[in-house]
Amino acid sequence: FKLEYPCESCIISPHSSNVGKVVPVLVSSSTMNKWWGDKPANRRHVDHFTIPGAQINCLSHAFDAEYDGDEELHVCLAAGLNDVMAGKSAQEIFQRMEHFDAIVKAKNPKSTLNICTLLLPPKLVHLPGDGIKRKEGFIDYKSTIVELNRMILRYRFRTQSLPGTYRVSGFHYLGLA
């Protein structure tokens, strides 16, 4: 007898929590909240948790509490904009991402982490010619996000050549579609 549970993102639901040897996991703040849209879309289960408004250190803590290390995980982290809005530097944010990576590896040495590059949202970035009038006191975080995206791409180059590491596409290159 296998216990089944309802899964809001999978086409086949309810289903067993025993979905395979390797578990894909999406961890995100607001960026990927309700990523499946209005109706279930997955043919293959993806574990996920999103915490709207969360910074990476909060997501790290939640991940650490949620997973025990019995399974090999392939984790995709799509977060960092809330850290930017909190005034953290690219270096501080990337250190938080590296700490998240250490937590993933400590759970199971076979587990991997892929970090998505960040978007350049109009709320945080002014691009020449975008035609958007911003409020007085607007802070342009473009340089922080672009610097962080470069760090993420260097991290990917270093880690994705490791055996057992799967390539997970980013949403965009340097934040632009």
Side-chain angles (χ1 to χ4, degrees):
F1 173 74
K2 288 184 180 178
L3 183 62
E4 294 192 338
Y5 70 99
C7 182
E8 60 190 346
S9 65
C10 289
I11 292 171
I12 299 171
S13 179
H15 61 68
S16 165
S17 63
N18 183 11
V19 293
K21 286 178 147 181
V22 178
V23 179
V25 182
L26 171 66
V27 179
S28 184
S29 56
S30 312
T31 306
M32 296 293 290
N33 190 38
K34 295 288 239 178
W35 55 274
W36 57 89
D38 293 334
K39 57 185 177 179
N42 285 350
R43 295 190 187 284
R44 181 170 183 234
H45 179 76
V46 175
D47 267 11
H48 61 277
F49 68 86
T50 58
I51 304 173
Q55 294 181 32
I56 293 169
N57 55 354
C58 178
L59 294 170
S60 297
H61 181 71
F63 177 85
D64 195 24
E66 184 72 21
Y67 293 94
D68 58 16
D70 291 341
E71 302 160 310
E72 181 180 340
L73 306 172
H74 292 303
V75 182
C76 179
L77 176 63
L81 291 175
N82 293 320
D83 298 76
V84 171
M85 290 190 313
K88 303 295 181 204
S89 70
Q91 186 61 41
E92 288 173 305
I93 298 167
F94 189 72
Q95 286 172 347
R96 290 176 172 198
M97 291 174 170
E98 289 181 313
H99 177 70
F100 191 99
D101 187 31
I103 291 171
V104 169
K105 302 288 190 318
K107 294 284 180 188
N108 184 325
K110 292 182 179 179
S111 293
T112 60
L113 173 69
N114 190 293
I115 303 170
C116 297
T117 53
L118 278 63
L119 299 165
L120 293 172
K123 178 180 178 179
L124 303 178
V125 173
H126 171 72
L127 296 174
D130 68 8
I132 299 171
K133 185 172 172 95
R134 291 176 173 79
K135 294 179 182 176
E136 189 175 324
F138 172 79
I139 300 171
D140 190 347
Y141 293 105
K142 181 171 48 179
S143 62
T144 301
I145 295 172
V146 169
E147 181 184 352
L148 180 57
N149 282 344
R150 286 185 177 130
M151 292 174 172
I152 292 168
L153 291 172
R154 283 193 295 272
Y155 162 86
R156 280 189 191 171
F157 182 76
R158 270 194 338 264
T159 60
Q160 289 191 340
S161 60
L162 300 173
T165 303
Y166 290 85
R167 286 193 174 271
V168 178
S169 61
F171 301 115
H172 30 72
Y173 179 73
L174 292 179
L176 299 173

